[in-house]
Amino acid sequence: RAGYWDAAFVEQYLKKADELLKLLLAMIQTTSGQPARVTELATIKMANSESSIRHVFAIIGQIVLIPTYNKTGALTDKDRPIARFLPLAASRLFYIYLTVIRP
């Protein structure tokens, strides 16, 4: 019916989007230098909020993830940025995910 969501389709879409995100995170782990800590990946922000800036940037066609994480941050009260440059092919896939799958 017009104007109504197909709940089964939406659930299937969200499940596939979640599976794709897991594959993208595995791609980030294997293509962007030294593997990240799980806590570092879990804190990546895709969008700005009122209190902090996002961690995903595009520089000359390449996606750069710059989360602020430090395993001793709780002790020092300071996090440090860790830049992870994705290769071009991985950048394209991540860009498509951010703009088409998860707008």
Side-chain angles (χ1 to χ4, degrees):
R1 293 182 287 183
Y4 291 94
W5 289 85
D6 181 346
F9 179 81
V10 170
E11 185 177 338
Q12 182 181 16
Y13 179 87
L14 292 173
K15 189 178 289 188
K16 287 184 178 184
D18 188 51
E19 290 173 14
L20 177 60
L21 179 59
K22 289 175 185 174
L23 291 172
L24 288 172
L25 290 174
M27 177 186 65
I28 291 168
Q29 281 286 72
T30 59
T31 64
S32 64
Q34 182 176 352
R37 294 177 179 274
V38 173
T39 49
E40 179 186 337
L41 285 179
T43 61
I44 292 177
K45 292 180 62 169
M46 307 288 187
N48 293 336
S49 69
E50 289 183 24
S51 61
S52 64
I53 192 168
R54 70 189 177 280
H55 299 140
V56 180
F57 301 91
I59 301 174
I60 311 172
Q62 192 171 12
I63 297 291
V64 183
L65 305 175
I66 310 177
T68 52
Y69 173 79
N70 183 354
K71 67 180 182 177
T72 61
L75 298 173
T76 63
D77 201 31
K78 293 181 183 178
D79 287 336
R80 62 184 178 94
I82 302 169
R84 296 186 174 282
F85 289 80
L86 300 184
L88 289 177
S91 292
R92 287 185 189 112
L93 291 173
F94 200 69
Y95 176 80
I96 291 168
Y97 173 78
L98 290 176
T99 58
V100 177
I101 307 298
R102 187 185 185 269

